[in-house]
Amino acid sequence: MPETTAPSATFSPLYQQIKALLLGSLQSGEWRPGAPIPSEMELAARYEVSQGTVRKAIDELATENLLIRHQGKGTFVASHHSEAWQYRFFSLMPDSGKKAPLKSHFLACKPIKSPSKIAQLLKTPANEQVFQIDRVQSLGGQVAVFEQIWLPKERFSGMTLDRLESWPGPLYAFYESEFATHMVRAEEKIKAIAAEATIANHLKLEPGSPLLLVERVSYTYGNKPVEVRRAHYDTRQQHYENKLN
């Protein structure tokens, strides 16, 4: 690719074009999560541009948390297996401020016809098969979260309750390792609700107890929605923390 490009109606800066090419390699799986990408010099030669152009493209992908720079080691594809990422999508923190061990217990995993709202959020045809997963999470030994999760069955073919229960790490690391699906961002809606009887039972609360409902849609590369979840949080001894940068 030449370093100069003639202006056109669809013109974009050269570094943005390189960014798009790098993103394409991430989407295709050329560079797997946790793996290093080629050096700036190698990428500059590959795309026939300057290292500065490559560096600017990589900087944007790093800002978007798709790539991680490690001083003296190189640039790596972000991975949910890394300790720094394990709590990136989990925002419930003890009021004490002390880190508490988080433990998951999966209650169910079954294929169902997608409810219309879930199909709309996943941008899939109505009534297409999805997996519905129910789980509770305990924080410091106390049940704190009840979740329902929906995943496209085609992308997550082979998902079972046994596989979920036997996985030792974060759920998003499971998606990444077992289904080649890396979550890169999420959108959430949050509101206060009163606990319905079934949800209250899972959280060991009285029906009508106050809860925080967080509805999330998570996206993989290419801005593709691949997970919907509804999490019910008991915030009597913890709070929902969101850091805005």
Side-chain angles (χ1 to χ4, degrees):
M1 178 179 296
E3 190 66 32
T4 58
T5 305
S8 72
T10 58
F11 171 76
S12 63
L14 187 55
Y15 81 91
Q16 288 284 358
Q17 298 175 47
I18 300 305
K19 177 185 175 183
L21 292 172
L22 294 174
L23 184 58
S25 290
L26 293 172
Q27 290 173 329
S28 69
E30 178 181 351
W31 307 318
R32 301 287 292 171
I37 68 170
S39 69
E40 291 177 1
M41 184 179 296
E42 291 171 316
L43 291 170
R46 173 174 174 172
Y47 299 126
E48 299 181 2
V49 297
S50 70
Q51 283 183 242
T53 297
V54 170
R55 185 175 302 116
K56 193 168 183 179
I58 290 175
D59 284 345
E60 282 210 357
L61 291 171
T63 299
E64 295 169 10
N65 295 309
L66 300 183
L67 297 176
I68 306 292
R69 290 189 183 276
H70 291 296
Q71 189 67 33
K73 295 182 179 179
T75 302
F76 295 74
V77 181
S79 170
H80 290 280
H81 287 271
S82 69
E83 185 175 351
W85 267 60
Q86 288 186 9
Y87 287 88
R88 180 171 174 239
F89 289 86
F90 186 80
S91 302
L92 196 66
M93 301 298 171
D95 289 339
S96 65
K98 297 180 180 179
K99 285 188 177 181
L102 179 67
K103 185 176 181 180
S104 291
H105 175 55
F106 292 92
L107 306 173
C109 176
K110 58 186 178 183
I112 64 169
K113 286 186 177 180
S114 178
S116 58
K117 178 65 179 297
I118 301 304
Q120 179 183 358
L121 293 172
L122 289 174
K123 298 181 180 179
T124 56
N127 294 324
E128 186 170 288
Q129 290 270 302
V130 295
F131 284 109
Q132 178 179 309
I133 298 168
D134 295 350
R135 74 167 175 176
V136 293
Q137 291 183 288
S138 300
L139 199 62
Q142 295 292 119
V143 177
V145 188
F146 170 70
E147 290 183 318
Q148 288 187 306
I149 300 168
W150 294 271
L151 305 166
K153 186 180 178 184
E154 184 176 1
R155 176 178 282 266
F156 292 89
S157 178
M159 178 76 73
T160 66
L161 183 60
D162 286 344
R163 290 181 71 181
L164 286 165
E165 284 283 19
S166 62
W167 179 258
L171 188 57
Y172 283 1
F174 177 64
Y175 297 163
E176 185 178 284
S177 292
E178 302 297 312
F179 300 97
T181 299
H182 179 71
M183 301 301 189
V184 299
R185 72 177 190 89
E187 296 177 356
E188 293 184 335
K189 295 180 180 179
I190 303 173
K191 65 179 178 179
I193 63 168
E196 298 176 0
T198 301
I199 294 169
N201 182 58
H202 285 304
L203 292 171
K204 305 185 188 306
L205 298 171
E206 291 295 324
S209 297
L211 296 176
L212 196 65
L213 172 63
V214 179
E215 296 187 328
R216 175 192 296 173
V217 181
S218 296
Y219 297 79
T220 190
Y221 299 120
N223 209 33
K224 182 174 179 59
V226 288
E227 184 206 58
V228 175
R229 70 170 66 189
R230 292 183 184 140
H232 301 80
Y233 292 88
D234 174 9
T235 58
R236 290 175 300 169
Q237 298 180 29
Q238 42 270 329
H239 58 275
Y240 195 86
E241 182 176 278
N242 190 9
K243 296 180 180 179
L244 303 177
N245 297 317

